[in-house]
Amino acid sequence: MDTLSPNFVQMLIRFVICMVVNFVIIDRLYYPKGRRRDYYFTYMITSVAIFFLMFFMMDMKAKATLGIGIGLFGIFSIMRFRTDAMPVREMTYLFLIISLSVITAVAPVGDGERINPSGIIELLITDLIVLVITAICEKMIKTSPVKLIRYDRPELTLPDRREELMADLTRRTGLEITKIEVGGYDFLRDAVVLKVHYNADNEHKSNSVDGQFGVRRNIRNA
């Protein structure tokens, strides 16, 4: 059996770097706060697909192919999944994962015949800079889980009755509520939409339906 070509070995080295960096971002930076297994899966598979797509397109050495690759990169980076609207934080991580996968696939780390050690070092330094900045931002910005609630007592949302509102929501939801934001009123149904921030441990900090609520269409059609 023939030995592996230098270009294929270079691809494997790039791929390992790409997967290690993306795993750190997804598993150590995103997931502890997001707790979304569906996005965990999406990010990992997207990083694999984008890496191979960009690497083999670049390997063809055709300008048209590069143009197609850039177009696909743009589509993936701005797309919204049809199932649910993607939150800003998740969209940011998706853009970051795609960007690093593309950078790792096309970075000049060799000439196809041999690997340039300085190119690998420069790529690793670039990835390290991104990791450090992302980790600093995650450390500095404190986030709390959020739920949207359609509430049946809008009279309690008056400024002088906030303590009653807090006590009623705490009693009915069992959550340790820290902040309440008042959204749209539906006077025909005597309801109001509330955005409730609450404390939770890491095991139950968030789930796939937090922050989602199909109430806008009902209010619009009222």
Side-chain angles (χ1 to χ4, degrees), residues 17-87:
I17 295 174
C18 179
M19 288 297 99
V20 170
V21 172
N22 286 337
F23 175 79
V24 172
I25 291 176
I26 297 168
D27 191 76
R28 303 304 176 189
L29 299 179
Y30 165 75
Y31 189 72
K33 285 187 178 180
R35 312 300 294 181
R36 293 288 300 268
R37 291 189 177 91
D38 51 348
Y39 284 126
Y40 192 112
F41 171 84
T42 299
Y43 294 154
M44 291 301 297
I45 299 303
T46 299
S47 66
V48 173
I50 291 296
F51 172 83
F52 284 116
L53 181 67
M54 292 304 301
F55 181 84
F56 285 111
M57 282 184 171
M58 286 297 297
D59 193 47
M60 294 176 185
K61 301 184 184 305
K63 292 183 179 180
T65 303
L66 178 59
I68 295 174
I70 294 175
L72 289 173
F73 167 66
I75 292 173
F76 277 112
S77 63
I78 65 175
M79 71 179 180
R80 294 173 67 89
F81 292 101
R82 299 294 296 176
T83 53
D84 295 313
M86 180 176 286

Side-chain angles (χ1 to χ4, degrees), residues 73-206:
F73 167 66
I75 292 173
F76 277 112
S77 63
I78 65 175
M79 71 179 180
R80 294 173 67 89
F81 292 101
R82 299 294 296 176
T83 53
D84 295 313
M86 180 176 286
V88 175
R89 181 172 181 268
E90 276 69 16
M91 180 65 75
T92 302
Y93 270 101
L94 176 63
F95 183 81
L96 178 62
I97 293 300
I98 293 175
S99 299
L100 290 180
S101 299
V102 172
I103 290 172
T104 307
V106 304
V109 299
D111 57 5
E113 296 297 328
R114 63 185 183 85
I115 297 175
N116 183 4
S118 62
I120 295 292
I121 294 175
E122 292 172 357
L123 177 60
L124 291 175
I125 292 175
T126 302
D127 291 335
L128 181 60
I129 292 173
V130 174
L131 286 174
V132 170
I133 293 176
T134 305
I136 291 175
C137 291
E138 283 287 6
K139 189 71 174 179
M140 293 177 60
I141 300 175
K142 302 296 183 181
T143 60
S144 61
V146 174
K147 288 187 182 296
L148 295 182
I149 298 176
R150 184 164 59 184
Y151 190 57
D152 59 354
R153 301 182 64 187
E155 68 276 5
L156 293 185
T157 61
L158 296 174
D160 58 345
R161 304 189 68 179
R162 281 302 178 93
E163 291 186 3
E164 295 180 59
L165 175 63
M166 184 82 72
D168 187 56
L169 285 174
T170 300
R171 177 182 59 83
R172 296 169 69 174
T173 63
L175 299 174
E176 186 182 344
I177 299 173
T178 59
K179 180 181 178 182
I180 300 174
E181 298 179 32
V182 180
Y185 287 89
D186 184 358
F187 290 112
L188 293 180
R189 294 182 174 85
D190 197 27
V192 61
V193 178
L194 302 177
K195 187 176 183 180
V196 177
H197 300 255
Y198 62 96
N199 289 327
D201 56 41
N202 288 333
E203 294 300 322
H204 303 88
K205 191 169 186 179
S206 181

Side-chain angles (χ1 to χ4, degrees), residues 209-221:
V209 296
D210 276 355
Q212 299 192 26
F213 190 56
V215 69
R216 293 182 180 178
R217 181 175 300 176
N218 293 335
I219 293 179
R220 190 184 303 119
N221 293 335

